[in-house]
Amino acid sequence: SSLTQITIPSYVISISDNCFSECSSLVQVSIPSYVISIGSGSFSGCSSLINIKIPSYVISIGDFAFRGCTSLAQVFIPSSITSIKNYVFSGCCSLTRIIIPSSVTSIGNGAFNGCSSLTQIFVPSSVTSIKNNVFSGCSSLIQISNLSSVISIGESAFSECSSLKQLSNLSSVISIANNAFI
């Protein structure tokens, strides 16, 4: 719990599940450019982590990887990522900005659940469904842009989004689950 900074060696290509989980004093992590996977829960509970640069070779980020990183302010997801897994950024209450690349085709359940400082998000046209609880508890979320390819919206997808004023281009939506906006 006293670990504040780490530079992962350049020969590492995979960060294992729960590797740095609950390192609550960890502020800075340098991930080498050849890492291809970040395991489930690998940085979960690193409440002091301020930002993270995910290298361009990463093709997989596991469930809950950054859950509860309450100081994390921004994340840049590389275009090598095709899926944002379940609860990856859940509880990242300081997260104000996230860019989802057009390579992403699916966003898992609760991926941004509880990101209460997130104000706007652009959904790439490659995403066809908004799963359960994806943006639930994003109380500062004002605008979600480009929902033109979204076919379905899951349960509680936008619940407790009390500041939400604009959802643009819902013309393709054919299924909206119970309590999607409550």
Side-chain angles (χ1 to χ4, degrees), residues 92-95 112-119 137-141:
C92 294
C93 57
S94 296
L95 189 62
F112 302 102
N113 179 0
C115 293
S116 56
S117 296
L118 193 61
T119 58
C138 293
S139 56
S140 298
L141 191 60

Side-chain angles (χ1 to χ4, degrees), residues 70-109:
T70 56
S71 298
L72 191 61
Q74 62 180 326
V75 174
F76 296 98
I77 300 170
S79 60
S80 53
I81 297 293
T82 59
S83 175
I84 297 174
K85 305 282 179 141
N86 298 325
Y87 300 95
V88 170
F89 300 104
S90 176
C92 294
C93 57
S94 296
L95 189 62
T96 58
R97 183 171 185 230
I98 191 147
I99 297 171
I100 301 173
S102 60
S103 58
V104 171
T105 58
S106 68
I107 301 173
N109 293 325

Side-chain angles (χ1 to χ4, degrees), residues 150-173:
V150 173
I151 297 168
S152 65
I153 297 175
E155 289 186 29
S156 303
F158 300 101
S159 70
E160 300 175 33
C161 291
S162 53
S163 300
L164 190 59
K165 295 180 182 179
Q166 183 179 4
L167 291 171
S168 66
N169 200 350
L170 292 169
S171 59
S172 296
V173 174

